[in-house]
Every structure is written in structure tokens, then in C-alpha cells.
């Protein structure tokens, strides 16, 4: 069953592992969640651009690649604010689902 | 007077443009397919597989793996040899195994190259209508994904579905990209 996870949150958590480009991030999230969280390719890029506009990630262009018709990859990495936000989000979610808190 | 955007109309117009473009490129792609195709690559692969075919066990394996017949000039069988999907052409007893394999691999490469050529043609033409960032990032990733799928020998249907998805999502993202820019300008 596919889980309901916000695209932006999933991307932030994926970027905690290090710099990546869009397609790589989708695969990273998929493999980390054993295929339960599947990010839609069409939704990922606007989310990444929004995160960049919010100052949570920064991007840089890579080298042009023939398989992409000579287009360069765009690599994203977390800014200091983005890292703090991602870690805070992780703590919050863990606390939310903590069974101790329920009892 | 209302400034709201009629999304349904916009979607219908976008869909019509896409259908017309896809149809034009499809027809163009069909016309461009060469009748005779003999690149050096099939012959290099031929060298690798020839040993197996001359071996009785190899021939048996090939015939065992024949699984479907296709309507093509002459009798053609679709077969799986290891990771390779090939079309075996039955041209009569006068054809040697090597000649059959040349024809088979030529058919296979022709089919694969046509699919790749069509996909790349459609997306490269579509890229002209997109902003540079979306063309490079979104479309670039779709092209990379399609290339990986072609390497994995995915069916042409899957490739065409991916092309349609790429066109649809990059179109939607372009519209929202421009709308956001317009809203930002009007608010400042």
C-alpha cells in the first residue's frame, strides 16, 4: 500500500543523505521506504523549485549528459536552514507516532 | 469581470495540441524509418552469439525460447536469447543460421532504434515550447529515465507511455511556472 507522504517532506528527508538530482531523489526515497513511498516524477520538480525559493535547498548545474540529449543534471543540496527544518520535521513525526505519547 | 482561469478549457486546448503534435511526429517517424538497415552493431553482437547458435544445445535453447509469432513479411518469430529480444526470420532452408540471425538482429535493432528515435524526436520538439529550466531539468530526467528503460529492453508501449507522461507533466509544470511568474509580477 502506498503511504500518504508530503512530497516536500520526503524530498527533504531524501536530501539529508546528501546531494542528488531529481530522478536520483525519487529512487532514493523509493529504496529507503522499500517502495512504499513513490514520488510522482511530475510533482517532484515543482516541489524542488518551491523548496529552493523558500531557501531550504540550493541547486547547481552538472555536466551535460548525452542520454539527456546534452542537457545537464541539476543537483540539489540542503542549506543550513533546510537541514535544521528536515531534522526538526523528523523529530516531530517520530514524536507524533511515538506509542509512549499515546498512552 | 472575473480573472479566474478556466482550467478545463486550458486542459482541453493543451490536450488537442499534444494530440496533433504526437500524430504529426508519429507519421513523420514512420516515413523516416529506413527500409534497409545494416549498422555495424548487429554484426558485432552476431559474433558474440554465433558460437551458441552453431552449438546444438544453443540452437535448442533458441527454439525453446520462441514464444510468439508476428505478422511480418515472411515468417518471423519473436524470441528471447538471454537478455536480448530478437525477431527470428524463417527464410527457408537455403538460409544459414548466421544469415537468419543477421536478419533477426536487424529487425530487432530497427525496432529498438525506431522507438528511441520517435521518443527523442517528440520530446526534443516539445522542449522548444518549454522554459529552459523545465526543458533541462524535468525533460532531461524523463529522457534519462527513458534511456534506462530502453537499456533494460522495456516494451515500446511503456516507452510511449513515459513520453506521454513527460509531455503532460512538463506541460502542466510550464503552465503553473508561468502563472506563478504572472502572479508574482502582479503582486509587486
Amino acid at each position: 500500500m502506498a503511504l500518504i507522504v508530503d512530497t516536500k517532506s520526503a524530498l527533504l528527508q531524501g536530501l539529508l543523505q546528501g546531494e542528488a538530482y531529481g530522478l536520483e531523489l525519487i529512487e532514493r526515497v523509493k529504496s529507503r521506504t522499500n517502495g512504499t513511498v513513490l514520488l510522482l516524477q511530475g510533482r517532484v520538480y515543482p516541489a524542488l523549485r518551491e523548496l529552493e525559493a523558500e531557501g531550504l535547498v540550493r541547486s547547481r548545474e552538472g555536466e551535460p549528459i548525452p542520454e539527456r540529449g546534452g542537457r545537464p543534471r541539476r543537483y540539489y543540496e540542503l542549506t543550513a536552514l533546510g537541514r535544521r527544518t528536515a531534522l526538526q520535521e523528523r523529530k516531530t513525526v517520530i514524536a507524533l507516532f511515538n506509542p509512549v505519547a499515546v498512552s | 469581470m472575473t480573472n479566474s482561469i478556466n482550467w478545463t478549457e486550458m486542459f482541453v486546448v493543451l490536450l488537442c495540441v499534444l494530440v496533433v503534435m504526437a500524430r504529426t511526429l508519429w507519421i513523420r517517424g514512420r516515413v523516416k524509418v529506413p527500409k534497409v538497415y545494416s549498422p555495424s552493431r548487429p554484426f558485432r553482437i552476431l559474433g558474440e552469439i554465433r558460437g551458441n547458435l552453431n552449438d546444438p544445445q544453443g540452437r535448442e535453447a533458441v527454439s525453446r525460447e520462441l514464444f510468439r509469432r508476428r505478422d511480418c513479411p515472411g515468417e518471423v518469430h519473436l524470441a528471447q536469447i538471454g537478455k536480448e529480444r530478437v525477431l527470428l526470420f524463417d527464410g527457408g532452408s537455403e538460409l544459414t543460421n548466421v544469415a537468419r540471425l543477421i536478419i533477426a538482429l536487424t529487425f530487432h535493432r530497427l525496432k529498438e532504434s525506431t522507438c528511441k528515435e520517435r521518443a527523442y524526436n517528440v520530446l526534443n520538439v516539445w522542449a522548444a515550447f518549454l522554459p529552459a529550466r523545465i526543458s533541462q531539468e524535468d525533460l532531461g530526467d524523463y529522457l534519462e529515465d527513458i534511456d534506462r528503460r530502453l537499456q533494460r529492453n522495456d516494451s515500446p508501449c511503456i516507452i510511449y507511455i513515459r513520453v506521454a507522461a513527460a509531455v503532460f507533466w512538463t506541460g502542466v509544470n510550464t503552465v503553473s511556472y508561468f502563472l506563478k511568474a504572472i502572479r508574482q509580477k502582479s503582486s509587486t
Side-chain angles (χ1 to χ4, degrees):
Chain A
M1 194 185 82
L3 294 174
I4 304 158
V5 176
D6 180 33
T7 308
K8 279 188 189 177
S9 304
L11 291 172
L12 282 179
Q13 296 307 316
L15 281 169
L16 272 174
Q17 271 184 289
E19 178 182 78
Y21 65 100
L23 201 60
E24 192 181 0
L25 268 172
I26 294 168
E27 280 161 14
R28 191 181 280 179
V29 169
K30 188 181 169 187
S31 68
R32 271 187 64 181
T33 58
N34 293 324
T36 47
V37 175
L38 300 170
L39 297 179
L40 203 58
Q41 208 173 336
R43 294 272 183 215
V44 164
Y45 306 104
L48 281 169
R49 283 190 279 270
E50 275 175 36
L51 287 172
E52 193 175 14
E54 288 163 16
L56 298 174
V57 300
R58 59 173 159 260
S59 68
R60 67 165 181 90
E61 266 185 19
E63 292 293 308
I65 294 169
E67 294 91 58
R68 300 165 64 92
R71 294 170 177 83
R73 283 176 180 160
R74 184 169 281 273
Y75 290 93
Y76 289 88
E77 65 174 346
L78 290 173
T79 58
L81 175 65
R83 184 168 290 276
R84 275 202 304 276
T85 310
L87 291 172
Q88 185 59 46
E89 203 168 57
R90 182 181 282 191
K91 273 185 199 168
T92 311
V93 170
I94 291 169
L96 182 69
F97 293 106
N98 190 356
V100 178
V102 175
S103 62
Chain B
M1 201 177 84
T2 176
N3 282 334
S4 68
I5 298 146
N6 191 337
W7 286 102
T8 320
E9 268 181 26
M10 197 176 271
F11 177 74
V12 170
V13 169
L14 187 70
L15 204 67
C16 289
V17 171
L18 293 185
V19 168
V20 170
M21 276 183 66
R23 193 179 169 275
T24 313
L25 287 168
W26 182 272
I27 292 165
R28 225 178 66 182
R30 282 175 80 96
V31 173
K32 274 172 74 179
V33 173
K35 293 290 177 203
V36 181
Y37 183 75
S38 58
S40 57
R41 192 167 157 72
F43 293 96
R44 207 167 58 242
I45 294 166
L46 171 72
E48 289 165 16
I49 307 177
R50 197 196 303 184
N52 292 343
L53 273 185
N54 287 336
D55 169 35
Q57 281 186 335
R59 276 204 300 275
E60 202 185 301
V62 170
S63 60
R64 209 174 40 236
E65 287 186 59
L66 284 172
F67 64 93
R68 198 149 57 101
R69 278 168 181 266
R70 286 234 162 156
D71 291 329
C72 287
E75 266 198 328
V76 174
H77 311 277
L78 191 64
Q80 189 87 27
I81 304 175
K83 283 184 179 175
E84 287 284 316
R85 263 197 330 162
V86 299
L87 286 169
L88 293 176
F89 182 83
D90 190 4
S93 57
E94 71 276 9
L95 279 179
T96 61
N97 281 334
V98 174
R100 282 179 196 186
L101 193 62
I102 289 172
I103 297 161
L105 289 168
T106 305
F107 266 111
H108 168 62
R109 290 289 156 207
L110 179 62
K111 197 175 148 209
E112 189 191 67
S113 72
T114 309
C115 176
K116 186 173 182 174
E117 197 181 300
R118 274 182 190 154
Y120 275 63
N121 274 348
V122 170
L123 293 181
N124 282 328
V125 170
W126 180 238
F129 298 96
L130 304 175
R133 174 116 187 218
I134 292 180
S135 164
Q136 285 184 357
E137 190 184 2
D138 304 25
L139 205 66
D141 276 9
Y142 272 109
L143 281 170
E144 200 175 331
D145 182 47
I146 287 168
D147 186 69
R148 283 185 200 173
R149 284 171 190 275
L150 283 166
Q151 298 291 327
R152 284 204 311 250
N153 266 341
D154 273 12
S155 120
C157 275
I158 304 280
I159 304 299
Y160 293 135
I161 288 169
R162 293 300 297 160
V163 171
V167 170
F168 175 76
W169 280 114
T170 49
V172 168
N173 289 346
T174 301
V175 171
S176 65
Y177 181 86
F178 281 123
L179 285 177
K180 205 173 278 177
I182 290 164
R183 273 186 204 136
Q184 267 176 359
K185 262 191 183 175
S186 60
S187 67
T188 52

